[in-house]
Amino acid sequence: MAFLTEKKNVLFIMGATGTGKTKLSINIGIQFPSEIINSDKIQVYKGLDIVTNKVPESEQCSIPHHLLGIIDDPDYDFTVNDFCKKMVETIDAIVENGHLPIIVGGSNSYLQVLVDDPIYAFRLKYNCCFIWVDVSLSILFPYLDKRVNEMVEAGLVDEIRDFFVPGANCTTGIRRAIGVPELQHYFEIENVKGIDEGHKEKILKEAISKMKENTCKLAENQLLKIDTMVNKLGWNMHQIDSTKVFEAVLKGENYQQLHQEIVVKPSLKIVKRFL
């Protein structure tokens, strides 16, 4: 029992893409002495900040963020072993600082290995609290479509164009990010003379449509993984339903107060009890 008292606390914020995990991690991070660790296997790469939806430094509220944009080589294969090793090193350094590590991101298959693989003995070393930010797919899908449109308006196409390499492998490294493989064909024909501009425009629209489709598929797969974690692996998750917040966002209504009431306040209560 003496060993158990030495276990350190780690908070996980989970959920499908676009559900507001990052925002919640910062809302919690400003209330407790804590540091945030990215657990998105694409955000570990440097570059493509719009595409990978990295939180800008201006929105980090002076909370230390780790494992964001740490890999320079876009083709490097960041494996689950790399992830777990970096994660454990970072958690231990944060705990050493007397701070709470908040792990946030959607790479659930990597997180499952970290927490459940006996090689890391994670649950023997750490008390885990899991908050799952959930949004009904019927509301999340139109929101994700809207978010892709906003990313395009923010310069997503130009950002990927700068990264474009003809014939590049889009199955490894940062080029796996949704948006890069979908736009590959468009960039291959963009500057080819003799191809009708209307055809190019059609290819671009199709690529953006495919991005939306693949983002929704990613969200579905992430939720299936969480379902497995809860119902087959026995992970004890605190589910926070943020659907009403996203309904307000889609209607163009002010959602900030609603977000405080149904997402932030219940989450803070959970963390206070945990600590």
Side-chain angles (χ1 to χ4, degrees):
M1 288 303 286
F3 177 68
L4 291 178
T5 59
E6 292 164 14
K7 284 167 79 169
K8 301 297 182 185
N9 295 325
V10 179
L11 174 64
F12 292 79
I13 297 177
M14 304 177 68
T17 187
T19 51
K21 300 181 296 293
T22 299
K23 184 174 181 168
L24 179 58
S25 72
I26 290 167
N27 284 139
I28 292 172
I30 57 179
Q31 298 292 332
F32 303 94
S34 49
E35 300 182 33
I36 293 170
I37 314 175
N38 160 56
S39 65
D40 181 307
K41 63 177 181 264
I42 302 295
Q43 288 188 1
V44 297
Y45 294 92
K46 194 173 184 180
L48 293 183
D49 291 357
I50 298 169
V51 178
T52 60
N53 212 34
K54 289 190 191 86
V55 58
E57 202 171 320
S58 60
E59 292 172 22
Q60 292 175 9
C61 294
S62 303
I63 302 163
H65 278 63
H66 302 271
L67 307 195
L68 270 179
I70 58 164
I71 295 172
D72 291 326
D73 180 358
D75 299 311
Y76 180 79
D77 184 22
F78 187 72
T79 65
V80 67
N81 289 335
D82 291 335
F83 173 84
C84 292
K85 186 170 174 288
K86 288 271 186 202
M87 198 52 91
V88 169
E89 284 171 4
T90 309
I91 290 167
D92 288 343
I94 292 169
V95 166
E96 199 68 29
N97 288 343
H99 292 169
L100 171 69
I102 303 176
I103 296 172
V104 57
S107 295
N108 296 327
S109 54
Y110 278 28
L111 286 173
Q112 189 195 319
V113 174
L114 175 73
V115 173
D116 282 348
D117 193 316
I119 200 168
Y120 300 106
F122 199 86
R123 290 183 188 269
L124 288 177
K125 297 177 195 166
Y126 308 105
N127 294 313
C128 302
C129 177
F130 303 98
I131 294 178
W132 164 22
V133 189
D134 194 22
V135 177
S136 165
L137 288 179
S138 62
I139 298 299
L140 183 61
F141 284 172
Y143 171 76
L144 292 174
D145 281 6
K146 178 177 179 287
R147 191 173 76 158
V148 170
N149 290 339
E150 287 166 356
M151 289 160 88
V152 170
E153 283 167 24
L156 173 139
V157 176
D158 292 337
E159 186 179 75
I160 298 177
R161 184 185 288 109
D162 290 343
F163 237 78
F164 172 64
V165 175
N169 180 359
C170 290
T171 61
T172 62
I174 197 172
R175 290 189 175 87
R176 286 175 294 174
I178 291 173
V180 181
E182 291 83 356
L183 281 161
Q184 189 81 357
H185 178 51
Y186 171 70
F187 292 132
E188 285 165 356
I189 66 158
E190 186 181 27
N191 295 315
V192 175
K193 286 177 182 169
I195 296 182
D196 177 63
E197 289 304 316
H199 177 68
K200 290 178 188 176
E201 193 62 33
K202 178 173 172 278
I203 296 295
L204 178 59
K205 279 184 178 167
E206 284 171 359
I208 291 166
S209 179
K210 194 70 184 168
M211 272 183 70
K212 292 176 178 178
E213 189 186 316
N214 288 338
T215 304
C216 290
K217 275 185 192 166
L218 170 65
E220 260 183 319
N221 290 335
Q222 288 169 320
L223 283 179
L224 284 172
K225 191 75 190 174
I226 288 173
D227 184 65
T228 300
M229 288 165 156
V230 173
N231 295 312
K232 292 188 180 166
L233 302 173
W235 287 33
N236 179 24
M237 289 204 199
H238 301 276
Q239 186 178 4
I240 301 284
D241 189 348
S242 188
T243 303
K244 284 182 180 171
V245 176
F246 282 75
E247 284 175 341
V249 171
L250 288 173
K251 288 175 187 168
E253 295 171 0
N254 191 325
Y255 63 89
Q256 300 293 355
Q257 190 56 37
L258 198 56
H259 183 258
Q260 278 294 322
E261 291 301 322
I262 69 175
V263 178
V264 179
K265 282 185 182 175
S267 298
L268 288 173
K269 274 186 187 169
I270 290 162
V271 177
K272 278 175 186 165
R273 276 203 308 268
F274 170 61
L275 297 176

